[in-house]
Amino acid sequence: MILRVVTASLLALTLFPHVLQAQGTRLWSQSRYDEFEKGQPESIAISSQGYLEAGPTLRSVLLTPSTYIWAVASDTQGNAYVATGSPATVLKVTPAGASTKLFSTKDLTVQTVRVGPDGSVYAATVPGGKVYRIKPGQSALDESTATVVFDSAANPSKAASTKQDQARYIWDLAFDPQGALYVATGGPAAIYRVDVSTDTPHAELYFESDEQHIRCLLFEPNGNLIAGSDGGGLVYRIGKDRKGLVIYNAPKREVTALAESADGRLYVAAVGEKTKSTLPPLPVQGVAVATATITIVTPGSVQASSSNGLIPDGSQVDELSPQGAPRKLWASREDVVYALRSTPQGLLVATGNRGRIYRILENGSYLDLARAATGQATAFAPAPDGLYVATSNTGRLYKLGSVPAAQGNYLSDVFDSGVFSQFGRIEVNGNGAIYARSGNVENPERNWSEWRKVNGDSSAAPAARFIQWKAVLEPGTRVASVGINYLPVNIAPVVDEIAVEPGARATQSTQQSGQPQQITINLPSNQSGLSYTQDPATAPLSAVRDRSAVTVRWAAHDDNGDDLIYNVYVRGDGEKNWRLLRSRVTERFYSFDSIRVPDGGYRVRVVASDAPAHTLGDALTGERESDHFIIDTTPPVVTVLQGTVQSGVLHATFAATDATSPIVRAEYSLDASRWQLLEPVGKLSDSLTERYDLTVPLADLAASPSQDEPQAAPAPVTDPQEHILTVRVYDRYENVTAAKTLVH
């Protein structure tokens, strides 16, 4: 078992509001628990069945100087006794909230506290493993002045083979009907019975287990003792003969709390996977560290780094019928159960790491009853007209009312309509008072409108971007759903960027063997390292190389979320008019045949319209022009190719011209030999017209192979004075032309 201490809240799952998307008027509605639980309830209970109702008050009684309160007990006068850690003390708190320090220790923490039949307070420390007694009227005691009624070092269990193995952790205390004290220990697991009726208490080993720890104790009305363990998640029923029977093997490794209803139903809370520990050990210096559960998630711990910050496998509460049949009553992946208490209205559950208090009903439904402004709700104790609730991070004592408050308030989360919007009627399913307010910044405290009570068909709130609603409920009232109608002000769509790829044709099909070379067309922002993870329309577009096509693709957005259509235009250099290529395009790309326009420089304009979502008079457009690009599908022209042979040297000249793009390279082949690169006159190849002057010694030609592939026998030569010169010229867009001449 692992001693655990909780220092940070678990991350809640991120859930988005239920927004009914529609063109024109839209509806934001909330009706489910996962929607309501994101709000701020004050004396409001949130049902798992999807409604709000008035709940009890949770009032702060005392803020202690300690970080943790691990246990709380109370006496017949309504005074609370809290066991704290960091620093470790026992405080007496009156119903009015006045506190007195009864006991302090240098130990790490006071783990649990109980009030005995005679009014004495018993406090157990960890990891010292001692139980101290503070008699009525005593205060300001410490280890040297308080009476030790149990010392684990003086009472080793049979399983403790060495001094280091003796019990050092005390997790729970309980009194039987005769007033004897029972001590639950760990490292190894055992239960001791202590006769505290005299000034010299006597302890004896009552029950021993092969588990790691006994975590919690509960006496049944017939005198049987129920004990929950850590290690295998076992629940024992121990009779007066001191024999223990395992009545339940919980699905989780550690039983953290027990409770029993008036009609004999036993409730078992457990946490953690059985295969491994779920929470980090509490650091203890100078003492051999055993393990047990107080749940504390520290920054950098396994919990803090786990997915979503959730406790692995979560907590679970099971119910055992009086006949012993178990069933799962409730489970949560986000909460750790620390304490249970059975009431006529249902089972109360104190949890971390969100400070939630739940009421679980027999049908498995539950109420999110109250929320402490701390990390963990750790313990319950009876209080006048309610219950004391102990919390950690920080150590605070609350009082939970026993009846619904006279008035409760629920504040919804803030809804972002995306743009400036007109808010209309609020649809309410329930009988509580509903209010609304709006503003143009996300924080409602920064100059929002005043609260406006919802009245019939009146507007919910002034026009703005953000809105929030509030419910005011009295006992007997309930709200099951709230929906706010709103109409976003129409904003013109925006074409964010355009990419043009001459020589490519978009395709949606998968490339098959033998098909043309597959290419992708990215938008400029993708090429610069940006990515659009929210919009699949900006993912790479599949296309194939096609010299006769041009593909245009674009990214666009509409702040209203409207459906868009596009018109695609083209305009050549020196032209005034945009020519329509295609209207009412619904995709975000368009391929057209380049033969539709002559070679030259062009720009494309894409016009986006939200006409599908609005009437003709209300539709808006946005547009963008592409960067300049070239369409060039015509190969260069080779002119005045001529050659001569003198003194065994071939000399040739020619010119190459392209109407649109520069000549980028030329090659020649003599008598069908390999192609050789040919530089233009002046070396640089950067003009629409380039001139070439070629000189080749024929002796060099004879020394090199005449073909790319070897011949079985040399080809016959009938006229050694005749030669064929072939030239090949490329422009910038890979258009190619070839010419030849016969040289004697």
Side-chain angles (χ1 to χ4, degrees):
M1 169 191 294
I2 294 187
L3 180 59
R4 308 156 190 185
V5 183
V6 183
T7 59
S9 298
L10 291 176
L11 297 175
L13 291 175
T14 303
L15 298 173
F16 295 96
H18 176 60
V19 181
L20 178 61
Q21 294 291 352
Q23 308 301 342
T25 300
R26 303 179 183 184
L27 177 67
W28 171 50
S29 66
Q30 291 185 294
S31 60
R32 303 193 307 264
Y33 172 80
D34 60 355
E35 295 164 343
F36 286 141
E37 69 101 19
K38 291 183 293 184
Q40 302 173 38
E42 181 181 344
S43 299
I44 292 290
I46 307 173
S47 171
S48 62
Q49 296 179 327
Y51 60 82
L52 307 174
E53 66 179 18
T57 59
L58 184 66
R59 179 176 59 87
S60 177
V61 175
L62 176 69
L63 174 61
T64 74
S66 299
T67 305
Y68 313 112
I69 298 180
W70 296 124
V72 60
S74 59
D75 59 20
T76 56
Q77 288 76 45
N79 298 306
Y81 301 88
V82 295
T84 73
S86 301
T89 63
V90 175
L91 303 178
K92 177 182 178 180
V93 185
T94 68
S99 66
T100 303
K101 184 184 293 185
L102 299 185
F103 173 75
S104 62
T105 174
K106 295 180 181 179
D107 224 334
L108 187 64
T109 185
V110 178
Q111 175 60 36
T112 187
V113 64
R114 292 290 181 267
V115 178
D118 63 348
S120 296
V121 177
Y122 295 83
T125 63
V126 170
K130 294 180 180 180
V131 179
Y132 297 88
R133 177 167 60 190
I134 303 104
K135 291 185 177 180
Q138 292 182 316
S139 62
L141 301 179
D142 58 24
E143 294 104 322
S144 63
T145 55
T147 301
V148 177
V149 299
F150 176 80
D151 185 351
S152 61
N155 294 275
S157 66
K158 296 176 183 178
S161 59
T162 66
K163 186 175 181 179
Q164 287 73 23
D165 290 333
Q166 61 198 16
R168 304 292 291 178
Y169 292 85
I170 299 175
W171 301 117
D172 203 3
L173 301 175
F175 286 92
D176 68 10
Q178 291 73 40
L181 176 65
Y182 290 76
V183 182
T185 69
I191 301 173
Y192 294 86
R193 182 183 184 277
V194 185
D195 182 0
V196 293
S197 61
T198 66
D199 290 335
T200 56
H202 172 68
E204 60 178 332
L205 182 63
Y206 184 77
F207 175 77
E208 197 167 21
S209 168
D210 59 358
E211 289 284 271
Q212 297 176 18
H213 297 261
I214 298 296
R215 281 289 288 109
C216 46
L217 300 174
L218 171 69
F219 270 103
E220 295 185 299
N222 60 8
N224 288 334
L225 178 60
I226 305 297
S229 76
D230 179 18
L234 304 181
V235 178
Y236 299 91
R237 176 175 281 127
I238 306 167
K240 296 178 182 179
D241 58 0
R242 305 190 180 188
K243 293 182 179 180
L245 173 67
V246 175
I247 60 173
Y248 186 52
N249 184 358
K252 299 185 180 298
R253 71 182 304 270
E254 182 174 356
V255 176
T256 57
L258 297 167
E260 191 169 25
S261 67
D263 59 359
R265 292 190 299 271
L266 181 65
Y267 301 101
V268 179
V271 64
E273 301 175 23
K274 287 194 173 183
T275 56
K276 60 182 178 180
S277 168
T278 60
L279 298 170
L282 179 69
V284 180
Q285 296 182 352
V287 180
V289 178
T291 54
T293 291
I294 305 165
T295 319
I296 294 183
V297 179
T298 54
S301 69
V302 174
Q303 288 67 40
S305 62
S306 63
S307 175
N308 298 323
L310 302 179
I311 297 298
D313 224 18
S315 281
Q316 184 169 315
V317 176
D318 298 319
E319 179 189 271
L320 277 64
S321 70
Q323 294 75 33
R327 71 180 179 101
K328 183 169 75 172
L329 185 64
W330 178 86
S332 172
R333 291 195 61 213
E334 302 172 61
D335 301 289
V336 177
V337 176
Y338 291 100
L340 300 175
R341 188 168 187 88
S342 178
T343 71
Q345 295 78 30
L347 179 68
L348 293 182
V349 181
T351 72
N353 295 312
R354 300 184 296 168
R356 302 282 178 92
I357 300 170
Y358 298 95
R359 176 184 290 153
I360 305 174
L361 307 181
E362 275 301 301
N363 62 5
S365 64
Y366 59 90
L367 294 172
D368 186 342
L369 197 63
R371 301 180 180 184
T374 54
Q376 293 79 33
T378 55
F380 293 121
D385 301 321
L387 288 173
Y388 287 117
V389 180
T391 69
S392 294
N393 290 312
T394 56
R396 188 184 291 268
L397 183 67
Y398 289 88
K399 181 183 175 183
L400 180 68
S402 58
V403 296
Q407 179 177 291
N409 297 292
Y410 173 83
L411 198 61
S412 78
D413 60 332
V414 173
F415 174 66
D416 181 3
S417 67
V419 296
F420 191 81
S421 299
Q422 178 183 347
F423 297 107
R425 187 172 64 89
I426 292 187
E427 302 173 10
V428 181
N429 180 7
N431 52 358
I434 304 295
Y435 300 79
R437 63 179 177 179
S438 59
N440 287 301
V441 291
E442 191 171 8
N443 185 352
E445 305 306 320
R446 299 186 65 185
N447 303 102
W448 275 36
S449 69
E450 298 296 326
W451 286 109
R452 177 186 295 179
K453 187 174 183 179
V454 174
N455 183 15
D457 294 333
S458 63
S459 173
R465 173 171 172 172
F466 301 93
I467 192 167
Q468 185 180 43
W469 60 269
K470 177 175 70 173
V472 179
L473 304 180
E474 299 175 354
T477 60
R478 178 179 291 185
V479 170
S481 67
V482 174
I484 299 179
N485 292 277
Y486 68 100
L487 178 64
V489 173
N490 193 21
I491 295 178
V494 176
V495 180
D496 299 294
E497 53 186 338
I498 301 175
V500 180
E501 185 70 22
R505 187 180 299 276
T507 175
Q508 299 293 342
S509 60
T510 303
Q511 181 182 3
Q512 301 294 330
S513 177
Q515 287 188 341
Q517 175 190 3
Q518 196 83 16
I519 63 173
T520 58
I521 303 171
N522 290 310
L523 290 166
S525 64
N526 298 101
Q527 298 171 358
S528 62
L530 301 177
S531 63
Y532 290 81
T533 57
Q534 300 295 325
D535 188 356
T538 61
L541 175 66
S542 296
V544 294
R545 183 64 65 189
D546 184 345
R547 300 189 53 75
S548 67
V550 178
T551 294
V552 184
R553 71 164 309 194
W554 56 91
H557 75 275
D558 186 278
D559 287 335
N560 302 107
D562 294 334
D563 293 334
L564 300 177
I565 57 173
Y566 308 92
N567 288 350
V568 183
Y569 300 84
V570 66
R571 185 176 66 183
D573 293 347
E575 299 175 5
K576 295 182 178 180
N577 297 329
W578 289 96
R579 287 179 282 171
L580 180 66
L581 289 173
R582 183 70 177 269
S583 64
R584 303 186 67 82
V585 178
T586 56
E587 300 87 358
R588 296 189 185 185
F589 66 91
Y590 176 63
S591 295
F592 64 94
D593 293 330
S594 56
I595 198 172
R596 294 173 58 181
V597 293
D599 289 356
Y602 292 91
R603 294 181 186 270
V604 165
R605 182 172 71 173
V606 176
V607 179
S609 170
D610 60 8
H614 298 276
T615 59
L616 185 61
D618 294 333
L620 298 176
T621 61
E623 63 183 54
R624 191 180 189 92
E625 292 183 19
S626 72
D627 293 335
H628 185 267
F629 64 95
I630 300 292
I631 295 178
D632 184 0
T633 59
T634 304
V637 175
V638 175
T639 58
V640 293
L641 174 61
Q642 56 188 5
T644 61
V645 175
Q646 293 181 356
S647 304
V649 176
L650 182 144
H651 178 256
T653 59
F654 68 94
T657 303
D658 191 274
T660 306
S661 63
I663 304 298
V664 294
R665 75 177 187 275
E667 301 169 322
Y668 74 91
S669 172
L670 189 60
D671 293 336
S673 63
R674 290 188 177 90
W675 290 104
Q676 300 290 324
L677 180 66
L678 178 61
E679 292 181 337
V681 175
K683 302 290 186 179
L684 282 174
S685 187
D686 58 0
S687 302
L688 297 180
T689 298
E690 295 288 353
R691 301 186 182 280
Y692 297 87
D693 194 317
L694 171 65
T695 300
V696 180
L698 296 180
D700 293 346
L701 176 65
S704 62
S706 61
Q707 301 290 336
D708 289 341
E709 297 295 334
Q711 298 289 327
V717 177
T718 58
D719 186 353
Q721 301 303 316
E722 180 183 280
H723 300 278
I724 296 177
L725 175 65
T726 306
V727 296
R728 189 164 62 181
V729 181
Y730 296 81
D731 67 14
R732 179 169 291 170
Y733 294 93
E734 293 298 309
N735 298 300
V736 60
T737 189
K740 72 174 182 177
T741 185
L742 189 63
V743 181
H744 291 279

